[in-house]
mmCIF file of all heavy atoms in Angstrom:
data_model
loop_
_atom_site.group_PDB
_atom_site.id
_atom_site.type_symbol
_atom_site.label_atom_id
_atom_site.label_comp_id
_atom_site.label_asym_id
_atom_site.label_seq_id
_atom_site.Cartn_x
_atom_site.Cartn_y
_atom_site.Cartn_z
ATOM 1 N N VAL E 12 68.216 110.511 100.511
ATOM 2 C CA VAL E 12 68.167 109.410 99.544
ATOM 3 C C VAL E 12 68.180 108.065 100.266
ATOM 4 O O VAL E 12 67.428 107.143 99.921
ATOM 5 C CB VAL E 12 69.342 109.508 98.553
ATOM 6 C CG1 VAL E 12 69.376 108.291 97.638
ATOM 7 C CG2 VAL E 12 69.238 110.786 97.724
ATOM 8 N N ILE E 13 69.027 107.943 101.275
ATOM 9 C CA ILE E 13 69.108 106.690 102.037
ATOM 10 C C ILE E 13 67.762 106.363 102.664
ATOM 11 O O ILE E 13 67.301 105.206 102.618
ATOM 12 C CB ILE E 13 70.204 106.787 103.116
ATOM 13 C CG1 ILE E 13 71.584 106.785 102.470
ATOM 14 C CG2 ILE E 13 70.083 105.635 104.111
ATOM 15 C CD1 ILE E 13 72.716 107.094 103.431
ATOM 16 N N TRP E 14 67.082 107.361 103.226
ATOM 17 C CA TRP E 14 65.809 107.084 103.867
ATOM 18 C C TRP E 14 64.692 106.824 102.860
ATOM 19 O O TRP E 14 63.738 106.105 103.168
ATOM 20 C CB TRP E 14 65.434 108.209 104.833
ATOM 21 C CG TRP E 14 65.959 107.883 106.188
ATOM 22 C CD1 TRP E 14 67.055 108.404 106.807
ATOM 23 C CD2 TRP E 14 65.456 106.874 107.064
ATOM 24 N NE1 TRP E 14 67.257 107.798 108.014
ATOM 25 C CE2 TRP E 14 66.286 106.850 108.203
ATOM 26 C CE3 TRP E 14 64.392 105.991 107.003
ATOM 27 C CZ2 TRP E 14 66.074 105.983 109.264
ATOM 28 C CZ3 TRP E 14 64.172 105.120 108.067
ATOM 29 C CH2 TRP E 14 65.011 105.110 109.177
ATOM 30 N N ALA E 15 64.832 107.367 101.669
ATOM 31 C CA ALA E 15 63.873 107.013 100.619
ATOM 32 C C ALA E 15 63.996 105.528 100.276
ATOM 33 O O ALA E 15 62.999 104.820 100.101
ATOM 34 C CB ALA E 15 64.104 107.868 99.376
ATOM 35 N N VAL E 16 65.248 105.031 100.215
ATOM 36 C CA VAL E 16 65.483 103.615 99.942
ATOM 37 C C VAL E 16 65.011 102.759 101.125
ATOM 38 O O VAL E 16 64.353 101.722 100.932
ATOM 39 C CB VAL E 16 66.978 103.359 99.654
ATOM 40 C CG1 VAL E 16 67.247 101.866 99.498
ATOM 41 C CG2 VAL E 16 67.409 104.100 98.397
ATOM 42 N N LEU E 17 65.342 103.195 102.346
ATOM 43 C CA LEU E 17 64.922 102.436 103.529
ATOM 44 C C LEU E 17 63.407 102.383 103.663
ATOM 45 O O LEU E 17 62.852 101.378 104.127
ATOM 46 C CB LEU E 17 65.532 103.048 104.786
ATOM 47 C CG LEU E 17 67.029 102.804 105.004
ATOM 48 C CD1 LEU E 17 67.513 103.528 106.250
ATOM 49 C CD2 LEU E 17 67.322 101.310 105.107
ATOM 50 N N LEU E 18 62.727 103.441 103.252
ATOM 51 C CA LEU E 18 61.261 103.412 103.261
ATOM 52 C C LEU E 18 60.750 102.311 102.345
ATOM 53 O O LEU E 18 59.817 101.578 102.694
ATOM 54 C CB LEU E 18 60.706 104.769 102.830
ATOM 55 C CG LEU E 18 59.185 104.882 102.765
ATOM 56 C CD1 LEU E 18 58.559 104.623 104.132
ATOM 57 C CD2 LEU E 18 58.774 106.259 102.235
ATOM 58 N N GLY E 19 61.384 102.171 101.175
ATOM 59 C CA GLY E 19 61.014 101.085 100.268
ATOM 60 C C GLY E 19 61.270 99.723 100.882
ATOM 61 O O GLY E 19 60.468 98.792 100.731
ATOM 62 N N VAL E 20 62.380 99.594 101.620
ATOM 63 C CA VAL E 20 62.702 98.329 102.283
ATOM 64 C C VAL E 20 61.645 97.987 103.329
ATOM 65 O O VAL E 20 61.165 96.844 103.419
ATOM 66 C CB VAL E 20 64.097 98.408 102.930
ATOM 67 C CG1 VAL E 20 64.363 97.174 103.798
ATOM 68 C CG2 VAL E 20 65.173 98.543 101.865
ATOM 69 N N LEU E 21 61.251 98.972 104.121
ATOM 70 C CA LEU E 21 60.254 98.737 105.169
ATOM 71 C C LEU E 21 58.889 98.415 104.574
ATOM 72 O O LEU E 21 58.177 97.534 105.075
ATOM 73 C CB LEU E 21 60.165 99.953 106.083
ATOM 74 C CG LEU E 21 61.413 100.238 106.925
ATOM 75 C CD1 LEU E 21 61.271 101.556 107.674
ATOM 76 C CD2 LEU E 21 61.679 99.102 107.905
ATOM 77 N N LEU E 22 58.512 99.105 103.513
ATOM 78 C CA LEU E 22 57.234 98.808 102.858
ATOM 79 C C LEU E 22 57.243 97.419 102.239
ATOM 80 O O LEU E 22 56.226 96.728 102.202
ATOM 81 C CB LEU E 22 56.929 99.868 101.795
ATOM 82 C CG LEU E 22 56.599 101.273 102.320
ATOM 83 C CD1 LEU E 22 56.442 102.252 101.162
ATOM 84 C CD2 LEU E 22 55.340 101.252 103.168
ATOM 85 N N THR E 23 58.418 96.991 101.759
ATOM 86 C CA THR E 23 58.539 95.639 101.208
ATOM 87 C C THR E 23 58.424 94.599 102.312
ATOM 88 O O THR E 23 57.739 93.575 102.156
ATOM 89 C CB THR E 23 59.878 95.479 100.468
ATOM 90 O OG1 THR E 23 59.968 96.454 99.425
ATOM 91 C CG2 THR E 23 59.998 94.089 99.866
ATOM 92 N N GLY E 24 59.111 94.839 103.438
ATOM 93 C CA GLY E 24 58.997 93.911 104.566
ATOM 94 C C GLY E 24 57.569 93.783 105.034
ATOM 95 O O GLY E 24 57.090 92.684 105.347
ATOM 96 N N LEU E 25 56.851 94.904 105.081
ATOM 97 C CA LEU E 25 55.440 94.889 105.464
ATOM 98 C C LEU E 25 54.626 94.056 104.479
ATOM 99 O O LEU E 25 53.803 93.221 104.875
ATOM 100 C CB LEU E 25 54.925 96.327 105.509
ATOM 101 C CG LEU E 25 53.534 96.618 106.090
ATOM 102 C CD1 LEU E 25 53.442 98.085 106.497
ATOM 103 C CD2 LEU E 25 52.419 96.306 105.103
ATOM 104 N N ALA E 26 54.865 94.284 103.185
ATOM 105 C CA ALA E 26 54.091 93.574 102.164
ATOM 106 C C ALA E 26 54.334 92.073 102.210
ATOM 107 O O ALA E 26 53.393 91.274 102.097
ATOM 108 C CB ALA E 26 54.442 94.119 100.773
ATOM 109 N N VAL E 27 55.592 91.673 102.406
ATOM 110 C CA VAL E 27 55.925 90.251 102.397
ATOM 111 C C VAL E 27 55.399 89.554 103.650
ATOM 112 O O VAL E 27 54.693 88.536 103.568
ATOM 113 C CB VAL E 27 57.450 90.057 102.287
ATOM 114 C CG1 VAL E 27 57.822 88.578 102.441
ATOM 115 C CG2 VAL E 27 57.950 90.569 100.940
ATOM 116 N N MET E 28 55.723 90.087 104.820
ATOM 117 C CA MET E 28 55.416 89.396 106.067
ATOM 118 C C MET E 28 53.951 89.558 106.476
ATOM 119 O O MET E 28 53.262 88.577 106.766
ATOM 120 C CB MET E 28 56.336 89.897 107.180
ATOM 121 C CG MET E 28 57.822 89.764 106.862
ATOM 122 S SD MET E 28 58.318 88.088 106.379
ATOM 123 C CE MET E 28 58.019 87.204 107.897
ATOM 124 N N VAL E 29 53.463 90.797 106.498
ATOM 125 C CA VAL E 29 52.059 91.010 106.847
ATOM 126 C C VAL E 29 51.162 90.506 105.725
ATOM 127 O O VAL E 29 50.107 89.917 105.964
ATOM 128 C CB VAL E 29 51.788 92.501 107.139
ATOM 129 C CG1 VAL E 29 50.317 92.728 107.448
ATOM 130 C CG2 VAL E 29 52.652 92.976 108.301
ATOM 131 N N GLY E 30 51.586 90.727 104.463
ATOM 132 C CA GLY E 30 50.792 90.250 103.325
ATOM 133 C C GLY E 30 50.605 88.750 103.325
ATOM 134 O O GLY E 30 49.549 88.242 102.938
ATOM 135 N N MET E 31 51.622 88.019 103.779
ATOM 136 C CA MET E 31 51.508 86.562 103.875
ATOM 137 C C MET E 31 50.384 86.164 104.829
ATOM 138 O O MET E 31 49.537 85.320 104.501
ATOM 139 C CB MET E 31 52.835 85.977 104.348
ATOM 140 C CG MET E 31 52.825 84.501 104.648
ATOM 141 S SD MET E 31 54.430 83.958 105.289
ATOM 142 C CE MET E 31 54.474 84.819 106.872
ATOM 143 N N ASP E 32 50.354 86.787 105.994
ATOM 144 C CA ASP E 32 49.298 86.487 106.967
ATOM 145 C C ASP E 32 47.926 86.895 106.444
ATOM 146 O O ASP E 32 46.932 86.193 106.633
ATOM 147 C CB ASP E 32 49.577 87.214 108.280
ATOM 148 C CG ASP E 32 50.887 86.780 108.915
ATOM 149 O OD1 ASP E 32 51.332 85.659 108.624
ATOM 150 O OD2 ASP E 32 51.460 87.561 109.692
ATOM 151 N N MET E 33 47.873 88.067 105.796
ATOM 152 C CA MET E 33 46.609 88.536 105.235
ATOM 153 C C MET E 33 46.102 87.575 104.161
ATOM 154 O O MET E 33 44.896 87.331 104.044
ATOM 155 C CB MET E 33 46.786 89.932 104.632
ATOM 156 C CG MET E 33 47.197 91.001 105.615
ATOM 157 S SD MET E 33 45.887 91.442 106.755
ATOM 158 C CE MET E 33 46.607 92.880 107.549
ATOM 159 N N GLY E 34 47.035 87.045 103.385
ATOM 160 C CA GLY E 34 46.644 86.112 102.331
ATOM 161 C C GLY E 34 46.024 84.850 102.900
ATOM 162 O O GLY E 34 45.019 84.352 102.384
ATOM 163 N N VAL E 35 46.619 84.327 103.974
ATOM 164 C CA VAL E 35 46.045 83.140 104.619
ATOM 165 C C VAL E 35 44.652 83.447 105.155
ATOM 166 O O VAL E 35 43.722 82.645 105.007
ATOM 167 C CB VAL E 35 46.970 82.636 105.748
ATOM 168 C CG1 VAL E 35 46.294 81.508 106.525
ATOM 169 C CG2 VAL E 35 48.296 82.158 105.174
ATOM 170 N N GLY E 36 44.488 84.617 105.780
ATOM 171 C CA GLY E 36 43.171 84.989 106.281
ATOM 172 C C GLY E 36 42.149 85.132 105.173
ATOM 173 O O GLY E 36 40.985 84.724 105.322
ATOM 174 N N SER E 37 42.576 85.681 104.038
ATOM 175 C CA SER E 37 41.654 85.887 102.915
ATOM 176 C C SER E 37 41.143 84.574 102.335
ATOM 177 O O SER E 37 40.001 84.483 101.881
ATOM 178 C CB SER E 37 42.345 86.703 101.812
ATOM 179 O OG SER E 37 42.753 87.972 102.288
ATOM 180 N N MET E 38 42.006 83.552 102.325
ATOM 181 C CA MET E 38 41.620 82.281 101.700
ATOM 182 C C MET E 38 41.186 81.231 102.716
ATOM 183 O O MET E 38 40.919 80.083 102.354
ATOM 184 C CB MET E 38 42.787 81.748 100.864
ATOM 185 C CG MET E 38 43.983 81.283 101.677
ATOM 186 S SD MET E 38 45.340 80.600 100.675
ATOM 187 C CE MET E 38 46.151 82.095 100.150
ATOM 188 N N LEU E 39 41.106 81.621 103.999
ATOM 189 C CA LEU E 39 40.848 80.650 105.064
ATOM 190 C C LEU E 39 39.598 79.817 104.813
ATOM 191 O O LEU E 39 39.611 78.587 104.969
ATOM 192 C CB LEU E 39 40.727 81.380 106.407
ATOM 193 C CG LEU E 39 40.425 80.503 107.626
ATOM 194 C CD1 LEU E 39 41.579 79.550 107.894
ATOM 195 C CD2 LEU E 39 40.156 81.374 108.857
ATOM 196 N N ARG E 40 38.508 80.445 104.418
ATOM 197 C CA ARG E 40 37.246 79.733 104.229
ATOM 198 C C ARG E 40 37.289 78.804 103.020
ATOM 199 O O ARG E 40 36.416 77.944 102.870
ATOM 200 C CB ARG E 40 36.105 80.731 104.060
ATOM 201 C CG ARG E 40 35.757 81.509 105.324
ATOM 202 C CD ARG E 40 34.517 82.358 105.116
ATOM 203 N NE ARG E 40 33.372 81.548 104.739
ATOM 204 C CZ ARG E 40 32.556 80.939 105.604
ATOM 205 N NH1 ARG E 40 32.776 81.058 106.903
ATOM 206 N NH2 ARG E 40 31.538 80.220 105.184
ATOM 207 N N PHE E 41 38.283 78.978 102.171
ATOM 208 C CA PHE E 41 38.323 78.210 100.927
ATOM 209 C C PHE E 41 39.362 77.085 100.963
ATOM 210 O O PHE E 41 39.143 76.029 100.366
ATOM 211 C CB PHE E 41 38.598 79.145 99.748
ATOM 212 C CG PHE E 41 37.671 80.340 99.725
ATOM 213 C CD1 PHE E 41 38.109 81.578 100.145
ATOM 214 C CD2 PHE E 41 36.347 80.199 99.321
ATOM 215 C CE1 PHE E 41 37.254 82.682 100.142
ATOM 216 C CE2 PHE E 41 35.488 81.288 99.325
ATOM 217 C CZ PHE E 41 35.943 82.531 99.730
ATOM 218 N N VAL E 42 40.482 77.314 101.648
ATOM 219 C CA VAL E 42 41.459 76.228 101.781
ATOM 220 C C VAL E 42 41.044 75.259 102.882
ATOM 221 O O VAL E 42 41.464 74.103 102.886
ATOM 222 C CB VAL E 42 42.883 76.766 102.062
ATOM 223 C CG1 VAL E 42 43.391 77.558 100.883
ATOM 224 C CG2 VAL E 42 42.923 77.590 103.330
ATOM 225 N N GLY E 43 40.240 75.746 103.822
ATOM 226 C CA GLY E 43 39.718 74.881 104.878
ATOM 227 C C GLY E 43 38.231 74.658 104.681
ATOM 228 O O GLY E 43 37.447 75.605 104.743
ATOM 229 N N ARG E 44 37.830 73.429 104.457
ATOM 230 C CA ARG E 44 36.413 73.120 104.204
ATOM 231 C C ARG E 44 35.669 72.730 105.472
ATOM 232 O O ARG E 44 34.459 72.576 105.449
ATOM 233 C CB ARG E 44 36.325 71.978 103.170
ATOM 234 C CG ARG E 44 37.025 72.296 101.856
ATOM 235 C CD ARG E 44 36.315 73.369 101.078
ATOM 236 N NE ARG E 44 37.090 73.793 99.911
ATOM 237 C CZ ARG E 44 37.114 73.148 98.742
ATOM 238 N NH1 ARG E 44 36.413 72.022 98.594
ATOM 239 N NH2 ARG E 44 37.842 73.602 97.742
ATOM 240 N N ASN E 45 36.403 72.553 106.560
ATOM 241 C CA ASN E 45 35.758 72.260 107.847
ATOM 242 C C ASN E 45 36.560 72.932 108.945
ATOM 243 O O ASN E 45 37.617 73.537 108.697
ATOM 244 C CB ASN E 45 35.637 70.743 108.083
ATOM 245 C CG ASN E 45 36.991 70.036 107.992
ATOM 246 O OD1 ASN E 45 37.958 70.430 108.639
ATOM 247 N ND2 ASN E 45 37.057 68.981 107.180
ATOM 248 N N ASP E 46 36.072 72.847 110.165
ATOM 249 C CA ASP E 46 36.691 73.577 111.268
ATOM 250 C C ASP E 46 38.119 73.119 111.531
ATOM 251 O O ASP E 46 39.004 73.945 111.784
ATOM 252 C CB ASP E 46 35.842 73.398 112.537
ATOM 253 C CG ASP E 46 36.421 74.162 113.717
ATOM 254 O OD1 ASP E 46 36.438 75.407 113.664
ATOM 255 O OD2 ASP E 46 36.869 73.512 114.687
ATOM 256 N N ALA E 47 38.360 71.833 111.478
ATOM 257 C CA ALA E 47 39.706 71.320 111.763
ATOM 258 C C ALA E 47 40.720 71.837 110.742
ATOM 259 O O ALA E 47 41.838 72.241 111.097
ATOM 260 C CB ALA E 47 39.687 69.791 111.766
ATOM 261 N N GLU E 48 40.337 71.826 109.466
ATOM 262 C CA GLU E 48 41.257 72.305 108.428
ATOM 263 C C GLU E 48 41.530 73.796 108.579
ATOM 264 O O GLU E 48 42.660 74.254 108.363
ATOM 265 C CB GLU E 48 40.671 72.006 107.054
ATOM 266 C CG GLU E 48 40.622 70.516 106.723
ATOM 267 C CD GLU E 48 39.947 70.221 105.404
ATOM 268 O OE1 GLU E 48 39.442 71.172 104.750
ATOM 269 O OE2 GLU E 48 39.894 69.039 105.019
ATOM 270 N N ARG E 49 40.516 74.556 108.949
ATOM 271 C CA ARG E 49 40.725 75.996 109.141
ATOM 272 C C ARG E 49 41.613 76.264 110.343
ATOM 273 O O ARG E 49 42.431 77.192 110.333
ATOM 274 C CB ARG E 49 39.379 76.703 109.283
ATOM 275 C CG ARG E 49 38.581 76.708 107.980
ATOM 276 C CD ARG E 49 37.171 77.210 108.154
ATOM 277 N NE ARG E 49 36.420 77.059 106.903
ATOM 278 C CZ ARG E 49 35.113 77.243 106.785
ATOM 279 N NH1 ARG E 49 34.399 77.601 107.848
ATOM 280 N NH2 ARG E 49 34.520 77.083 105.619
ATOM 281 N N ARG E 50 41.481 75.451 111.369
ATOM 282 C CA ARG E 50 42.345 75.607 112.537
ATOM 283 C C ARG E 50 43.797 75.284 112.185
ATOM 284 O O ARG E 50 44.721 75.915 112.718
ATOM 285 C CB ARG E 50 41.864 74.716 113.678
ATOM 286 C CG ARG E 50 40.561 75.192 114.329
ATOM 287 C CD ARG E 50 40.256 74.377 115.569
ATOM 288 N NE ARG E 50 41.290 74.567 116.581
ATOM 289 C CZ ARG E 50 41.570 73.697 117.532
ATOM 290 N NH1 ARG E 50 40.908 72.544 117.601
ATOM 291 N NH2 ARG E 50 42.516 73.941 118.419
ATOM 292 N N VAL E 51 44.004 74.341 111.294
ATOM 293 C CA VAL E 51 45.362 74.047 110.840
ATOM 294 C C VAL E 51 45.961 75.269 110.161
ATOM 295 O O VAL E 51 47.100 75.678 110.443
ATOM 296 C CB VAL E 51 45.366 72.838 109.875
ATOM 297 C CG1 VAL E 51 46.713 72.727 109.166
ATOM 298 C CG2 VAL E 51 45.074 71.551 110.622
ATOM 299 N N ALA E 52 45.196 75.886 109.256
ATOM 300 C CA ALA E 52 45.684 77.072 108.547
ATOM 301 C C ALA E 52 46.004 78.199 109.522
ATOM 302 O O ALA E 52 47.034 78.879 109.399
ATOM 303 C CB ALA E 52 44.643 77.530 107.526
ATOM 304 N N LEU E 53 45.147 78.397 110.519
ATOM 305 C CA LEU E 53 45.381 79.466 111.491
ATOM 306 C C LEU E 53 46.603 79.172 112.352
ATOM 307 O O LEU E 53 47.349 80.086 112.725
ATOM 308 C CB LEU E 53 44.150 79.650 112.375
ATOM 309 C CG LEU E 53 42.914 80.245 111.694
ATOM 310 C CD1 LEU E 53 41.743 80.279 112.670
ATOM 311 C CD2 LEU E 53 43.212 81.646 111.176
ATOM 312 N N ASN E 54 46.825 77.901 112.692
ATOM 313 C CA ASN E 54 47.984 77.548 113.509
ATOM 314 C C ASN E 54 49.289 77.617 112.726
ATOM 315 O O ASN E 54 50.361 77.670 113.328
ATOM 316 C CB ASN E 54 47.801 76.161 114.122
ATOM 317 C CG ASN E 54 46.981 76.194 115.397
ATOM 318 O OD1 ASN E 54 47.519 76.345 116.481
ATOM 319 N ND2 ASN E 54 45.666 76.086 115.253
ATOM 320 N N ILE E 55 49.221 77.614 111.419
ATOM 321 C CA ILE E 55 50.426 77.783 110.608
ATOM 322 C C ILE E 55 50.970 79.205 110.745
ATOM 323 O O ILE E 55 52.182 79.421 110.860
ATOM 324 C CB ILE E 55 50.139 77.426 109.132
ATOM 325 C CG1 ILE E 55 49.982 75.908 108.997
ATOM 326 C CG2 ILE E 55 51.253 77.940 108.213
ATOM 327 C CD1 ILE E 55 49.566 75.453 107.618
ATOM 328 N N ILE E 56 50.070 80.193 110.753
ATOM 329 C CA ILE E 56 50.517 81.581 110.888
ATOM 330 C C ILE E 56 50.365 82.100 112.319
ATOM 331 O O ILE E 56 50.860 83.181 112.650
ATOM 332 C CB ILE E 56 49.756 82.516 109.930
ATOM 333 C CG1 ILE E 56 48.242 82.488 110.226
ATOM 334 C CG2 ILE E 56 50.043 82.159 108.488
ATOM 335 C CD1 ILE E 56 47.470 83.544 109.479
ATOM 336 N N GLY E 57 49.691 81.329 113.171
ATOM 337 C CA GLY E 57 49.417 81.774 114.530
ATOM 338 C C GLY E 57 50.638 82.210 115.325
ATOM 339 O O GLY E 57 50.603 83.233 116.014
#
C-alpha cells in the first residue's frame, strides 16, 4: 500500500516538474515572436 501511494507521489512529481518544462517547450513558438524572446523562455527553464 505504501508503495502504491509513493508511486502516485513520483508520478505527480514527474507531472509537475517535467510537465512544466514540456509546457514551455510546447508554447515556445507562440510566447516568443522572435529569437530573443524565445531564448528568454528557454533560459527560464534552462
Side-chain angles (χ1 to χ4, degrees):
V12 174
I13 289 171
W14 269 103
V16 175
L17 286 177
L18 179 61
V20 172
L21 293 173
L22 291 175
T23 302
L25 189 160
V27 173
M28 304 306 294
V29 178
M31 173 183 67
D32 299 336
M33 298 289 189
V35 173
S37 300
M38 69 178 81
L39 179 65
R40 290 186 59 86
F41 309 103
V42 295
R44 303 291 172 82
N45 56 52
D46 181 66
E48 292 176 356
R49 291 171 186 171
R50 288 188 63 205
V51 167
L53 290 176
N54 276 270
I55 287 174
I56 60 171

